[in-house]
Amino acid sequence: MFNSVGNVIDTLQSIYSFMIIGYVLLSWLPNARESFIGVFLGKMVEPYLGIFRRFIPPIGGMLDLSPIIALFALRFVASGLTAVIEFLIP
């Protein structure tokens, strides 16, 4: 049973990570965030990234490192959750 729960957590973490990466890549294209996909990704990803943007200011006013830190935190939480479930369900 744990294997399936662990797979679900890993899959969800991967999907959300790709959503964050896609949202960041859309910032490089003009008017891409105003498209349907950009608006959808913004609604899904921006609340999570906003947590990190409050504490991590952009470097030089332009380079935003908060998505990188958010991806590390997401992976850390997913690994921790998997470890807790593995501990609780032998």
Side-chain angles (χ1 to χ4, degrees), residues 48 52 66-78:
Y48 179 65
F52 296 95
S66 60
I68 297 170
I69 304 301
L71 287 171
F72 282 128
L74 182 64
R75 184 64 197 149
F76 180 73
V77 169

Side-chain angles (χ1 to χ4, degrees), residues 23-71:
Y23 186 69
V24 169
L25 292 177
L26 284 177
S27 70
W28 295 355
L29 303 171
N31 299 326
R33 285 194 178 173
E34 286 78 30
S35 69
F36 173 75
I37 294 173
V39 171
F40 173 74
L41 287 177
K43 287 180 182 177
M44 298 299 291
V45 170
E46 203 50 56
Y48 179 65
L49 291 178
I51 296 168
F52 296 95
R53 287 190 175 135
R54 279 187 263 156
F55 301 109
I56 306 168
I59 295 175
M62 294 187 63
L63 183 61
D64 187 14
L65 296 179
S66 60
I68 297 170
I69 304 301
L71 287 171

